[in-house]
Amino acid sequence: MKLYTYWRSSCSYRVRIALGLKGLAWESIPVHLVKGDQRAPSYLAHNPSGFVPTLVLDDGTELVQSLAILDYLEAVWPDPPLLPADPLARARVLAAAHVIAMDTQPVTNVGVVGHLKSAYDADQQGGIDWMVHFMERNFAAFDKLILPEGRFCFGDSPTWADICLIPQLYNAHRWGVDLSRFPRLTEIERAALALPAFDAARPETQPDAE
């Protein structure tokens, strides 16, 4: 498989983690978001939304949107399971994951903050303040949705909640979010990054890291 990715893309980071947890081999194809590679016609032919990641299967089939890709991987390679089989437990894991994937990342990504600056005259600090506000607010909600104990968000094995959390915490560190309010989340982060799949997916270890 091939993955169109960017080293600092949290959506790409999620898929890299999942591929690692499933033990799947893949090839990295970098798409430089800051330089605008995602807007090139050659890339839009793969993903018309102009986002990363795009996963190309061995038969050439292309999949987009990180959670849709995670869902495909879970269906085709169910071991190890990254979602509970019990419907209620599954819904709780998905709710927490969606707080990050739907409520937080979309409003704090580079495209949204760039538009905030260009269209509404926000300066660099204003863009950072915007990101920090949404991350702090949604980390507080996430913290209340997960279990109060366990190595990971929902027990002793990682789930989609952890896969979404760890990349967002990377962004939180980058932009100076005060994480002292969220000791449970940083404990989970330490446990996750101790696993080879999470460690190998870190932005700084990617071939296109700058």
Side-chain angles (χ1 to χ4, degrees):
M1 289 184 285
K2 298 178 181 179
L3 184 70
Y4 286 89
T5 180
Y6 178 62
W7 68 292
R8 274 186 167 159
S9 159
S10 57
C11 296
S12 299
Y13 193 171
R14 293 172 200 156
V15 174
R16 295 196 302 259
I17 294 169
L19 289 167
L21 289 171
K22 298 291 186 182
L24 300 173
W26 56 280
E27 175 187 348
S28 174
I29 304 179
V31 179
H32 201 300
L33 301 186
V34 177
K35 293 180 180 179
D37 290 356
Q38 72 277 20
R39 296 188 292 272
S42 57
Y43 182 68
L44 292 173
H46 298 288
N47 187 336
S49 295
F51 297 131
V52 290
T54 297
L55 181 67
V56 185
L57 305 181
D58 291 339
D59 66 359
T61 301
E62 296 180 329
L63 302 174
V64 301
Q65 292 291 340
S66 62
L67 293 191
I69 294 170
L70 263 59
D71 187 63
Y72 174 83
L73 296 177
E74 191 71 7
V76 177
W77 291 280
D79 294 318
L82 302 178
L83 287 173
D86 176 75
L88 183 57
R90 180 187 178 98
R92 287 175 172 157
V93 169
L94 290 176
H98 290 175
V99 168
I100 302 297
M102 298 183 182
D103 297 341
T104 310
Q105 186 276 330
V107 296
T108 59
N109 71 22
V110 63
V112 169
V113 176
H115 183 70
L116 185 70
K117 293 176 181 178
S118 63
Y120 299 100
D121 297 322
D123 60 12
Q124 176 68 10
Q125 188 58 49
I128 293 172
D129 291 346
W130 168 280
M131 291 186 288
V132 168
H133 165 76
F134 285 105
M135 282 190 265
E136 288 181 341
R137 187 188 75 173
N138 293 330
F139 281 147
F142 184 96
D143 196 37
K144 294 182 184 302
L145 290 172
I146 64 175
L147 296 181
E149 296 178 341
R151 290 181 64 210
F152 300 101
C153 293
F154 289 93
D156 291 328
S157 299
T159 65
W160 283 23
D162 306 280
I163 289 171
C164 289
L165 174 65
I166 299 310
Q168 197 63 53
L169 286 174
Y170 170 84
N171 289 335
H173 289 299
R174 182 184 178 197
W175 298 114
V177 175
D178 180 8
L179 294 172
S180 64
R181 295 171 49 200
F182 309 111
R184 172 85 174 110
L185 303 189
T186 54
E187 288 172 4
I188 292 167
E189 181 184 37
R190 286 192 291 273
L193 292 176
L195 295 180
F198 281 85
D199 182 59
R202 290 175 188 253
E204 59 269 26
T205 68
Q206 301 314 300
D208 58 323
E210 297 175 353

